Amino acid sequence: MKQAEQKSTAGPSQAAMLPEEQIAALPAAGRDLFLVSTAHAFIHAITVLMPLIYPLIQEEYHLSYTQIGLVVALPNALGGLLQVVFGLVSRYILRKVLLGVGAILGGLSTFLTGTINGFWPLMAWSTAFRLATAPQHPVGSSYLTDRYGQRRHGYALAWHIAGGNIGTLAVPFIAGPLLGLWGWRPLLYVAALPGILIGIAILILLEEGGPLDRRSRLRQQPARSLALRGRALIQTGKSLLLPLRDRTLLIIMAVSIIAAGGRGLGNVTTYVPLYLQNVRHIDSRLQGVLLTLLLLGSVIGPLLGGRLSDRLGRRPMLYLFYGASAVMTFLFIELARPGMPFWLIPPALLLMGLAVYAEAPLLQAYLADSASRDLRDNAFSLYFALAFGVGSAWGGIIGWLIDQFGFQLAFIVMAISYLLAGSLLTLIRQQPTTSER
């Protein structure tokens, strides 16, 4: 923040305080981290619940793997590309409003997904869900990096990811039996409620006053003509592309697009349950248990990787987890293939989960470290737009590969995407330490 902003949000005795010192003095940071992470948990929970429902919808409405892939890819692409806008919008609208209203609308679209009667309604409400929850990644990550400060980026972003994934752990374990008892429609009706409630809680409780309120600069500016405001808006829009001029940020974004081929809460979570049902012929209740084992890694991996990266560096941990992701995916291909004993599948999924879910918070923390304060919001917006927008094309590609060549080649492509992403990181020049930036 600029010095003028500091003075506008602090009293005379605090005028000399740094913005991060002002933020540290605000109470209940843990509550705010919990609220934002819980909203993330709801999004992840629906993301994990739908792959358990897709096999039932696929059977009921005779959908191909390519159609399932499109239901994953197109909504993610639209929602992902929309994220680039929220770095701009959050300068005019409180971030708590974007997050809270998004969670409420996400809950409503989940409820309406339970009313579908074919492919196109499924596509429509899946798209509505992704559009509603699009602010979560760029706005939530930006808010938490501001709320916790530069020295604790890894901690805050790791909890944003892993804290969200904690909510997903219970979903497959509970949803498996409930799918058999209730069916998938009533389950979606019930699953919609948490999103609505957490959205209301964010609107009421989340702290966004003083140094966290970005609108203070706009309030200080004198009234301007419509033409001047229009030019300023255009200039701000152009500034969204400024992070692409930074070599390191550009490479990190390219890495995110390539690694999306095997993204944990994208392709892995979508296609592993389909493989377990249609190739290994495992029923939905047991699928829920197996998916829980896979998702256990989505909590442990990010927390472990985020903590270690604060001490040992982002890039070494990214190399480690990209390599481990490729190895564990190849291991799953071998241990879970038809004819192999069932008891090999649980450890294969657990090891796979520990590896594939860790890269997201690590790459985001690397982005936060590498971007200057002025570029960080735009960098997050572009990062998520490219990773979840352009990168979402992988969902359709993987589905098409399964239809044409089978699951084995599709999983091999996922593993190769990790290796390519890790290789691209070698092009980044050594960065100064966070204290030097």
Side-chain angles (χ1 to χ4, degrees):
M1 292 185 181
K2 302 293 185 184
Q3 187 67 23
E5 287 180 295
Q6 297 176 29
K7 291 179 180 179
S8 71
T9 56
S13 63
Q14 293 179 304
M17 291 179 68
L18 295 173
E20 291 197 13
E21 292 174 342
Q22 293 178 341
I23 291 168
L26 295 173
R31 177 203 63 197
D32 296 336
L33 177 60
F34 173 80
L35 288 171
V36 176
S37 297
T38 303
H40 202 194
F42 165 70
I43 298 171
H44 282 197
I46 302 304
T47 302
V48 170
L49 176 60
M50 290 309 297
L52 288 174
I53 293 174
Y54 286 146
L56 303 178
I57 295 176
Q58 183 186 40
E59 182 178 1
E60 185 172 342
Y61 295 110
H62 309 291
L63 305 182
S64 68
Y65 289 110
T66 302
Q67 286 177 304
I68 295 295
L70 290 174
V71 168
V72 174
L74 291 181
N76 282 340
L78 292 173
L81 292 172
L82 185 63
Q83 293 181 54
V84 75
V85 177
F86 287 106
L88 173 62
V89 172
S90 64
R91 299 177 185 179
Y92 301 90
I93 302 175
L94 283 174
R95 287 176 284 188
K96 64 188 292 181
V97 173
L98 296 173
L99 294 172
V101 172
I104 293 170
L105 294 178
L108 293 175
S109 59
T110 299
F111 181 90
L112 291 169
T113 302
T115 69
I116 66 165
N117 59 5
F119 171 74
W120 287 110
L122 174 62
M123 177 68 79
W125 293 120
S126 296
T127 302
F129 176 82
R130 290 301 170 192
L131 295 180
T133 57
Q136 181 65 41
H137 283 117
V139 177
S141 297
S142 173
Y143 173 82
L144 289 177
T145 53
D146 283 352
R147 190 70 172 91
Y148 273 80
Q150 193 172 41
R151 292 179 181 272
R152 302 185 76 190
H153 282 164
Y155 173 84
L157 291 174
W159 269 111
H160 187 213
I161 299 294
N165 289 343
I166 289 173
T168 70
L169 278 176
V171 170
F173 188 74
I174 295 173
L178 290 181
L179 277 172
L181 292 174
W182 296 352
W184 59 273
R185 294 181 193 273
L187 187 56
L188 283 174
Y189 300 150
V190 173
L193 184 59
I196 297 171
L197 294 178
I198 189 60
I200 294 172
I202 285 174
L203 290 174
I204 296 173
L205 299 175
L206 197 72
E207 174 62 56
E208 198 170 5
L212 292 174
D213 188 347
R214 301 176 173 197
R215 302 170 306 162
S216 57
R217 181 182 302 179
L218 292 176
R219 286 197 295 265
Q220 293 174 4
Q221 293 176 348
R224 296 180 296 179
S225 69
L226 185 61
L228 287 175
R229 286 181 178 271
R231 279 199 291 267
L233 187 61
I234 292 172
Q235 190 63 33
T236 302
K238 291 180 179 179
S239 72
L240 289 174
L241 300 179
L242 288 178
L244 296 180
R245 298 181 181 179
D246 185 293
R247 172 188 171 90
T248 298
L249 299 181
L250 181 61
I251 292 174
I252 289 173
M253 292 176 194
V255 168
S256 71
I257 293 172
I258 294 172
R263 180 178 293 131
L265 281 178
N267 294 327
V268 171
T269 308
T270 297
Y271 292 110
V272 164
L274 287 167
Y275 176 84
L276 295 176
Q277 172 166 304
N278 297 332
V279 177
R280 291 304 304 259
H281 307 293
I282 296 171
D283 66 42
S284 61
R285 297 186 183 187
L286 199 49
Q287 281 183 48
V289 176
L290 293 175
L291 192 56
T292 300
L293 289 174
L294 177 69
L295 290 170
L296 184 61
S298 70
V299 176
I300 299 174
L303 286 177
L304 179 63
R307 202 63 166 171
L308 289 175
S309 74
D310 282 340
R311 298 181 180 183
L312 304 178
R314 314 297 184 202
R315 238 193 321 183
M317 289 298 101
L318 281 166
Y319 289 141
L320 173 64
F321 281 101
Y322 278 136
S325 296
V327 170
M328 296 309 167
T329 302
F330 283 123
L331 184 66
F332 172 77
I333 294 170
E334 176 61 25
L335 297 183
R337 63 182 173 84
M340 296 297 285
F342 171 81
W343 65 267
L344 292 174
I345 296 178
L349 287 174
L350 180 60
L351 292 172
M352 188 181 182
L354 287 171
V356 301
Y357 292 104
E359 68 94 16
L362 290 177
L363 201 59
Q364 291 169 34
Y366 199 8
L367 180 81
D369 291 346
S370 302
S372 64
R373 183 184 294 269
D374 291 338
L375 282 180
R376 191 175 299 148
D377 293 337
N378 292 345
F380 268 122
S381 295
L382 269 177
Y383 171 87
F384 287 113
L386 293 173
F388 291 93
V390 178
S392 292
W394 280 105
I397 293 170
I398 297 297
W400 179 82
L401 286 172
I402 294 171
D403 274 331
Q404 298 298 317
F405 306 104
F407 276 96
Q408 185 174 23
L409 180 62
F411 285 128
I412 289 173
V413 170
M414 291 183 195
I416 292 174
S417 73
Y418 298 127
L419 297 176
L420 291 176
S423 299
L424 193 58
L425 282 174
T426 62
L427 299 178
I428 295 178
R429 301 185 182 115
Q430 188 64 38
Q431 292 296 302
T433 61
T434 55
S435 63
E436 295 172 335
R437 291 194 67 82

